[in-house]
Amino acid sequence: DSGVTQTPKHLITATGQRVTLRCSPRSGDLSVYWYQQSLDQGLQFLIQYYNGEERAKGNILERFSAQQFPDLHSELNLSSLELGDSALYFCASSENPGGESTFGSGTRLTVV
Amino acid sequence: QQQVKQSPQSLIVQKGGISIINCAYENTAFDYFPWYQQFPGKGPALLIAIRPDVSEKKEGRFTISFNKSAKQFSLHIMDSQPGDSATYFCAASGLGNDMRFGAGTRLTVKP
């Protein structure tokens, strides 16, 4: 157990739908990162939060949004889902921005 | 933009051999260079990391070599074992900068 908790582990939904992925960072970590990993692909950085504030944006689609709450957990919202959004979504956390990151076990999203 | 370039994309090594994966970075503000190991269906896990004040760091069979002037760093896995078969990602970050990952190397160690 890495200390980073992601729920749900698996999610199957239809095209056009909206889903919310949840991440609880490791205790003491203030930064949360979201990554997308498609089949046999690398880790695509989506977005970073630090202590509730958005800090960096990567290749995140406009249909996707995220936030970090006062208790430091984070949610990634994916809307108007398309087949191509099927992927593993990882959350990672670190104590400081750019510091050692610990990953969760991911949410596998399947859009049918 | 890809700030960390990783090669090779895939690597096959015999058991007991040396696995070498290379990465190059662009941003001179990076000052933290970790390597992550990922098994299928699992999240990446930190394997070993280095900061640019040293040129080499060794932990067991895993060694990072770092060349600041060339902006390159590499992972060496000595005495490679079938259990090392996984995807390896290099990464780079600096204080205040989000971590940038390489594209990954799929390592297969044949028994």
Side-chain angles (χ1 to χ4, degrees), chain B:
Chain B
Q1 70 285 18
Q2 186 180 9
Q3 296 190 23
V4 181
K5 294 184 180 180
Q6 183 173 345
S7 63
Q9 188 174 5
S10 62
L11 181 62
I12 300 175
V13 173
Q14 290 295 128
K15 178 182 175 181
I18 302 174
S19 303
I20 301 174
I21 304 171
N22 301 299
C23 281
Y25 63 97
E26 300 171 359
N27 190 340
T28 55
F30 289 148
D31 64 359
Y32 176 65
F33 303 90
W35 284 89
Y36 284 82
Q37 179 188 55
Q38 184 181 26
F39 293 104
K42 303 292 185 182
L46 179 66
L47 186 63
I48 186 172
I50 197 169
R51 293 199 180 269
D53 53 341
V54 296
S55 60
E56 185 175 282
K57 183 175 182 179
K58 183 176 181 179
E59 290 184 2
R61 296 184 295 110
F62 301 92
T63 299
I64 299 179
S65 297
F66 184 81
N67 186 330
K68 187 174 181 178
S69 61
K71 292 188 287 185
Q72 295 176 346
F73 58 110
S74 61
L75 175 69
H76 292 64
I77 306 174
M78 312 299 288
D79 187 26
S80 298
Q81 299 295 313
D84 297 330
S85 297
T87 299
Y88 293 81
F89 294 95
C90 64
S93 71
L95 194 60
N97 296 311
D98 59 276
M99 190 167 292
R100 297 290 180 175
F101 284 83
T105 296
R106 178 174 288 184
L107 172 65
T108 302
V109 181
K110 297 210 166 197

